[in-house]
Protein backbone atom coordinates (compact mmCIF):
# COMPACT_ATOMS: atom_id res chain seq x y z
CA UNK A 1 0.00 0.00 0.00
CA UNK A 2 2.96 2.31 0.37
CA UNK A 3 3.08 3.45 -3.28
CA UNK A 4 -0.08 5.26 -4.37
CA UNK A 5 -1.07 7.86 -6.92
CA UNK A 6 -3.90 9.75 -8.57
CA UNK A 7 -4.60 11.45 -11.88
CA UNK A 8 -7.08 14.27 -12.40
CA UNK A 9 -7.99 16.35 -15.45
CA UNK A 10 -9.34 19.88 -15.07
CA UNK A 11 -11.32 20.96 -18.14
CA UNK A 12 -10.45 24.24 -19.85
CA UNK A 13 -11.49 27.28 -17.84
CA UNK A 14 -11.74 25.45 -14.49
CA UNK A 15 -8.24 25.56 -13.00
CA UNK A 16 -8.83 28.34 -10.49
CA UNK A 17 -8.34 28.91 -6.75
CA UNK A 18 -11.07 26.43 -5.84
CA UNK A 19 -9.49 23.78 -8.08
CA UNK A 20 -6.08 24.26 -6.43
CA UNK A 21 -7.65 24.04 -2.98
CA UNK A 22 -9.40 20.79 -3.95
CA UNK A 23 -6.10 19.50 -5.37
CA UNK A 24 -4.42 20.28 -2.06
CA UNK A 25 -7.03 18.17 -0.28
CA UNK A 26 -6.22 15.26 -2.58
CA UNK A 27 -2.50 15.63 -1.84
CA UNK A 28 -3.19 15.37 1.88
CA UNK A 29 -5.33 12.28 1.42
CA UNK A 30 -2.80 10.46 -0.71
CA UNK A 31 0.13 11.37 1.54
CA UNK A 32 -1.72 9.61 4.35
CA UNK A 33 -2.62 6.68 2.06
CA UNK A 34 1.06 6.34 1.12
CA UNK A 35 1.87 5.49 4.72
CA UNK A 36 3.92 8.55 5.66
CA UNK A 37 4.06 9.38 9.36
CA UNK A 38 1.97 12.58 9.50
CA UNK A 39 3.44 14.95 12.08
CA UNK A 40 1.15 17.94 11.59
CA UNK A 41 -2.25 18.14 9.88
CA UNK A 42 -4.11 21.45 9.68
CA UNK A 43 -6.72 22.88 7.34
CA UNK A 44 -4.01 24.47 5.19
CA UNK A 45 -0.93 22.33 5.87
CA UNK A 46 0.44 18.83 6.30
CA UNK A 47 3.89 17.84 7.57
CA UNK A 48 5.01 14.24 7.02
CA UNK A 49 8.10 12.07 7.38
CA UNK A 50 9.08 8.66 6.01
CA UNK A 51 7.13 5.69 7.35
CA UNK A 52 8.35 4.43 10.69
CA UNK A 53 10.25 7.58 11.58
CA UNK A 54 9.54 9.11 15.00
CA UNK A 55 7.95 12.53 15.33
CA UNK A 56 10.32 15.43 15.77
CA UNK A 57 13.29 13.74 14.13
CA UNK A 58 15.80 16.13 12.58
CA UNK A 59 18.08 13.90 10.54
CA UNK A 60 19.30 14.44 7.02
CA UNK A 61 18.96 10.73 6.27
CA UNK A 62 15.18 10.75 6.85
CA UNK A 63 13.09 12.32 4.05
CA UNK A 64 10.76 14.86 5.64
CA UNK A 65 8.35 17.10 3.75
CA UNK A 66 5.41 19.46 4.08
CA UNK A 67 2.69 20.83 1.79
CA UNK A 68 0.66 23.97 2.41
CA UNK A 69 -2.14 25.80 0.65
CA UNK A 70 -2.26 29.58 0.48
CA UNK A 71 -5.26 31.67 -0.53
CA UNK A 72 -3.81 34.47 -2.66
CA UNK A 73 -7.20 35.78 -3.74
CA UNK A 74 -8.07 35.49 -6.59
CA UNK A 75 -5.40 32.78 -6.92
CA UNK A 76 -4.58 29.60 -5.05
CA UNK A 77 -1.07 28.26 -4.47
CA UNK A 78 0.44 25.04 -3.10
CA UNK A 79 3.89 25.07 -1.53
CA UNK A 80 6.20 22.13 -0.84
CA UNK A 81 8.98 22.11 1.76
CA UNK A 82 11.94 19.87 2.46
CA UNK A 83 12.01 19.93 6.28
CA UNK A 84 14.90 19.48 8.71
CA UNK A 85 13.50 19.81 12.21
CA UNK A 86 10.32 19.20 14.18
CA UNK A 87 7.92 20.48 11.52
CA UNK A 88 7.76 23.14 8.82
CA UNK A 89 6.20 25.69 11.18
CA UNK A 90 8.92 25.31 13.83
CA UNK A 91 11.03 28.50 13.93
CA UNK A 92 14.13 26.38 14.57
CA UNK A 93 13.55 24.05 11.62
CA UNK A 94 15.17 24.40 8.22
CA UNK A 95 12.15 24.34 5.90
CA UNK A 96 12.49 26.08 2.57
CA UNK A 97 9.23 26.72 0.68
CA UNK A 98 8.94 26.04 -3.03
CA UNK A 99 5.84 26.83 -5.10
CA UNK A 100 4.73 23.69 -6.93
CA UNK A 101 1.24 24.75 -8.11
CA UNK A 102 -0.23 28.21 -8.75
CA UNK A 103 -3.54 28.96 -10.46
CA UNK A 104 -2.20 32.28 -11.73
CA UNK A 105 0.48 30.56 -13.81
CA UNK A 106 -1.88 28.95 -16.30
CA UNK A 107 -3.54 31.97 -17.90
CA UNK A 108 -7.14 33.08 -17.98
CA UNK A 109 -9.07 31.21 -19.20
CA UNK A 110 -7.02 28.21 -18.20
CA UNK A 111 -6.32 25.46 -20.75
CA UNK A 112 -7.17 21.83 -20.00
CA UNK A 113 -4.75 20.66 -17.32
CA UNK A 114 -3.99 17.10 -16.17
CA UNK A 115 -2.30 16.47 -12.83
CA UNK A 116 -0.52 13.30 -11.72
CA UNK A 117 0.64 12.70 -8.15
CA UNK A 118 2.43 9.72 -6.64
CA UNK A 119 3.96 9.04 -3.24
CA UNK A 120 5.65 6.22 -1.35
CA UNK A 121 5.78 6.55 2.42
CA UNK A 122 8.10 3.59 2.94
CA UNK A 123 10.70 4.90 0.49
CA UNK A 124 10.07 8.52 1.47
CA UNK A 125 9.39 10.22 -1.88
CA UNK A 126 6.61 12.00 -3.79
CA UNK A 127 6.21 13.71 -7.13
CA UNK A 128 3.66 15.91 -8.88
CA UNK A 129 3.45 16.52 -12.62
CA UNK A 130 0.96 18.71 -14.47
CA UNK A 131 0.69 19.19 -18.22
CA UNK A 132 -1.53 21.46 -20.24
CA UNK A 133 -2.96 21.05 -23.71
CA UNK A 134 -0.68 23.00 -26.07
CA UNK A 135 -1.37 23.11 -29.80
CA UNK A 136 2.02 24.73 -30.39
CA UNK A 137 3.88 21.72 -28.98
CA UNK A 138 4.90 18.77 -31.14
CA UNK A 139 3.70 16.43 -28.38
CA UNK A 140 0.40 18.26 -27.95
CA UNK A 141 1.22 19.18 -24.35
CA UNK A 142 3.65 21.27 -22.36
CA UNK A 143 4.71 20.96 -18.73
CA UNK A 144 2.95 23.38 -16.42
CA UNK A 145 4.10 22.13 -13.01
CA UNK A 146 6.73 19.49 -12.28
CA UNK A 147 8.26 18.86 -8.87
CA UNK A 148 9.70 15.83 -7.13
CA UNK A 149 10.49 15.17 -3.50
CA UNK A 150 13.64 13.27 -4.39
CA UNK A 151 16.17 11.44 -2.28
CA UNK A 152 19.72 10.63 -3.28
CA UNK A 153 22.62 8.53 -2.13
CA UNK A 154 25.81 10.15 -0.98
CA UNK A 155 29.30 9.00 -1.87
CA UNK A 156 31.94 8.87 0.90
CA UNK A 157 33.96 11.58 -0.84
CA UNK A 158 30.99 13.96 -0.62
CA UNK A 159 31.54 14.41 3.11
CA UNK A 160 35.07 15.76 2.76
CA UNK A 161 34.00 19.38 2.25
CA UNK A 162 30.52 20.51 3.17
CA UNK A 163 27.31 18.57 3.29
CA UNK A 164 23.78 18.61 1.86
CA UNK A 165 20.61 16.94 3.03
CA UNK A 166 20.08 13.73 1.08
CA UNK A 167 16.58 14.81 0.13
CA UNK A 168 15.20 17.92 -1.51
CA UNK A 169 12.85 19.24 -4.17
CA UNK A 170 13.82 18.84 -7.81
CA UNK A 171 12.05 20.28 -10.83
CA UNK A 172 12.35 19.62 -14.54
CA UNK A 173 13.85 23.05 -15.19
CA UNK A 174 17.06 22.43 -13.32
CA UNK A 175 16.46 23.40 -9.68
CA UNK A 176 17.48 21.29 -6.68
CA UNK A 177 16.55 22.59 -3.24
CA UNK A 178 17.61 20.47 -0.27
CA UNK A 179 16.52 21.19 3.27
CA UNK A 180 19.93 22.62 4.14
CA UNK A 181 23.53 22.74 2.98
CA UNK A 182 26.83 23.53 4.65
CA UNK A 183 29.44 25.71 3.01
CA UNK A 184 33.17 25.03 3.03
CA UNK A 185 33.52 26.48 6.53
CA UNK A 186 30.79 24.28 7.97
CA UNK A 187 28.15 27.03 8.26
CA UNK A 188 24.63 25.77 7.53
CA UNK A 189 22.72 27.66 4.85
CA UNK A 190 19.03 27.15 5.58
CA UNK A 191 17.92 28.52 2.20
CA UNK A 192 20.10 26.53 -0.19
CA UNK A 193 19.58 26.23 -3.91
CA UNK A 194 21.68 24.66 -6.58
CA UNK A 195 21.23 24.36 -10.31
CA UNK A 196 21.48 20.78 -11.50
CA UNK A 197 23.77 19.34 -14.08
CA UNK A 198 23.08 16.46 -16.43
CA UNK A 199 25.10 14.98 -19.30
CA UNK A 200 22.90 17.17 -21.52
CA UNK A 201 23.56 20.46 -19.74
CA UNK A 202 21.42 22.56 -17.43
CA UNK A 203 17.85 21.43 -16.85
CA UNK A 204 16.39 24.49 -18.56
CA UNK A 205 18.38 23.93 -21.77
CA UNK A 206 17.17 21.90 -24.74
CA UNK A 207 18.24 18.36 -23.85
CA UNK A 208 17.31 16.04 -26.71
CA UNK A 209 20.51 14.12 -27.49
CA UNK A 210 21.15 10.79 -25.79
CA UNK A 211 24.21 10.64 -23.60
CA UNK A 212 26.77 8.38 -25.28
CA UNK A 213 27.43 6.57 -22.00
CA UNK A 214 23.79 5.73 -21.31
CA UNK A 215 23.27 1.95 -21.07
CA UNK A 216 19.55 2.25 -21.87
CA UNK A 217 18.31 3.31 -25.32
CA UNK A 218 16.92 6.86 -25.35
CA UNK A 219 17.67 7.34 -21.66
CA UNK A 220 20.32 9.37 -19.90
CA UNK A 221 22.17 8.56 -16.72
CA UNK A 222 20.64 10.14 -13.59
CA UNK A 223 21.15 13.82 -12.96
CA UNK A 224 23.75 15.09 -10.53
CA UNK A 225 23.32 18.23 -8.44
CA UNK A 226 26.48 20.28 -8.57
CA UNK A 227 28.15 22.98 -6.55
CA UNK A 228 26.69 26.41 -7.28
CA UNK A 229 27.44 29.76 -5.67
CA UNK A 230 29.46 28.27 -2.82
CA UNK A 231 26.38 26.81 -1.16
CA UNK A 232 28.00 23.42 -0.73
CA UNK A 233 31.30 21.85 -1.61
CA UNK A 234 29.74 18.42 -1.90
CA UNK A 235 28.46 16.69 -4.99
CA UNK A 236 25.51 14.45 -4.23
CA UNK A 237 25.22 11.00 -5.73
CA UNK A 238 22.46 9.91 -8.08
CA UNK A 239 18.88 10.84 -7.42
CA UNK A 240 16.96 7.72 -6.48
CA UNK A 241 13.64 8.82 -7.99
CA UNK A 242 14.66 10.69 -11.15
CA UNK A 243 15.94 9.56 -14.52
CA UNK A 244 16.46 12.14 -17.25
CA UNK A 245 15.07 11.02 -20.60
CA UNK A 246 15.90 11.86 -24.16
CA UNK A 247 13.34 12.39 -26.88
CA UNK A 248 11.08 9.69 -28.25
CA UNK A 249 8.89 8.86 -25.28
CA UNK A 250 5.17 9.32 -24.76
CA UNK A 251 3.44 10.44 -21.56
CA UNK A 252 3.13 7.56 -19.05
CA UNK A 253 5.19 5.24 -21.26
CA UNK A 254 7.01 2.55 -19.26
CA UNK A 255 10.75 3.14 -19.60
CA UNK A 256 12.00 0.55 -17.10
CA UNK A 257 9.85 -1.69 -14.86
CA UNK A 258 7.96 0.47 -12.39
CA UNK A 259 8.95 3.78 -13.98
CA UNK A 260 7.05 5.99 -16.44
CA UNK A 261 7.95 8.89 -18.71
CA UNK A 262 6.67 12.43 -18.18
CA UNK A 263 7.08 14.74 -21.16
CA UNK A 264 6.24 18.24 -22.42
CA UNK A 265 7.31 20.33 -25.37
CA UNK A 266 10.84 20.39 -26.77
CA UNK A 267 12.12 22.86 -24.18
CA UNK A 268 10.84 20.87 -21.22
CA UNK A 269 13.25 18.31 -19.75
CA UNK A 270 11.59 14.89 -20.17
CA UNK A 271 12.12 12.66 -17.16
CA UNK A 272 11.05 9.37 -15.63
CA UNK A 273 9.76 8.68 -12.14
CA UNK A 274 8.61 5.56 -10.24
CA UNK A 275 4.88 5.02 -10.55
CA UNK A 276 2.15 3.09 -8.76
CA UNK A 277 0.42 0.15 -10.39
CA UNK A 278 -2.46 2.48 -11.21
CA UNK A 279 -3.46 6.13 -10.84
CA UNK A 280 -6.74 6.44 -8.94
CA UNK A 281 -9.55 8.92 -9.46
CA UNK A 282 -9.25 11.20 -6.39
CA UNK A 283 -12.93 12.09 -6.57
CA UNK A 284 -14.14 8.49 -6.58
CA UNK A 285 -14.53 8.33 -2.80
CA UNK A 286 -12.60 6.39 -0.14
CA UNK A 287 -9.89 4.09 -1.46
Amino acid sequence: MARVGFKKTFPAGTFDKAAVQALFGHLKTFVANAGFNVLLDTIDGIDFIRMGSPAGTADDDIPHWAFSFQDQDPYGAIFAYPVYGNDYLDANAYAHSYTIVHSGWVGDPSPEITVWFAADGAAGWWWLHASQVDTNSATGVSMRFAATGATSRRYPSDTHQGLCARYGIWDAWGDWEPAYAKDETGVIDMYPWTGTWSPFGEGWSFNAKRHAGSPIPKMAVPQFPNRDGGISACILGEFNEILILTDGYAQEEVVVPGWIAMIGDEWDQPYAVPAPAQFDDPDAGPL
Side-chain angles (χ1 to χ4, degrees):
M1 186 194 77
R3 184 180 294 188
V4 299
F6 71 80
K7 178 180 178 181
K8 181 173 177 60
T9 296
F10 297 87
T14 67
F15 196 78
D16 54 12
K17 181 176 70 174
V20 173
Q21 190 164 22
L23 178 60
F24 175 70
H26 296 323
L27 297 185
K28 292 179 65 178
T29 297
F30 277 75
V31 161
N33 291 345
F36 279 98
N37 181 15
V38 177
L39 305 181
L40 186 67
D41 187 355
T42 67
I43 191 170
D44 58 2
I46 185 169
D47 187 291
F48 51 100
I49 198 166
R50 191 176 62 196
M51 180 188 297
S53 302
T57 297
D59 189 317
D60 67 328
D61 288 329
I62 300 179
H64 183 179
W65 316 97
F67 294 141
S68 70
F69 171 78
Q70 187 174 103
D71 184 340
Q72 299 180 350
D73 195 39
Y75 306 114
I78 298 174
F79 299 94
Y81 310 72
V83 183
Y84 180 84
N86 291 329
D87 59 64
Y88 80 110
L89 296 178
D90 184 347
N92 295 317
Y94 300 155
H96 183 49
S97 67
Y98 191 87
T99 307
I100 59 170
V101 177
H102 198 292
S103 63
W105 293 353
V106 299
D108 186 14
S110 61
E112 178 182 296
I113 291 179
T114 299
V115 178
W116 293 257
F117 177 76
D120 188 319
W125 55 258
W126 58 268
W127 58 263
L128 180 145
H129 179 94
S131 66
Q132 69 178 53
V133 171
D134 186 349
T135 57
N136 295 318
S137 168
T139 64
V141 297
S142 58
M143 291 185 194
R144 188 67 275 170
F145 312 110
T148 305
T151 66
S152 70
R153 65 174 180 167
R154 184 182 292 145
Y155 296 119
S157 60
D158 297 335
T159 63
H160 289 181
Q161 296 179 295
L163 192 64
C164 271
R166 297 192 203 190
Y167 59 94
I169 298 175
W170 172 90
D171 71 28
W173 299 282
D175 292 341
W176 167 249
E177 302 207 19
Y180 73 90
K182 292 182 181 178
D183 64 19
E184 294 90 333
T185 66
V187 174
I188 291 180
D189 180 355
M190 64 179 295
Y191 296 104
W193 173 87
T194 179
T196 52
W197 174 87
S198 78
F200 301 144
E202 296 289 346
W204 51 80
S205 301
F206 180 47
N207 300 324
K209 294 182 179 179
R210 186 175 72 88
H211 176 46
S214 174
I216 304 175
K218 300 191 297 183
M219 182 178 288
V221 297
Q223 274 201 336
F224 289 80
N226 73 338
R227 179 180 176 179
D228 185 7
I231 288 176
S232 175
C234 76
I235 301 176
L236 295 178
E238 293 98 337
F239 287 143
N240 294 326
E241 293 85 30
I242 298 293
L243 288 174
I244 302 304
L245 302 178
T246 61
D247 55 354
Y249 283 97
Q251 200 86 283
E252 290 190 65
E253 182 179 354
V254 174
V255 294
V256 291
W259 290 61
I260 61 173
M262 307 307 285
I263 66 169
D265 66 24
E266 66 174 358
W267 297 107
D268 294 325
Q269 170 66 70
Y271 64 97
V273 279
Q278 67 179 35
F279 290 96
D280 295 311
D281 177 354
D283 296 314
L287 299 178

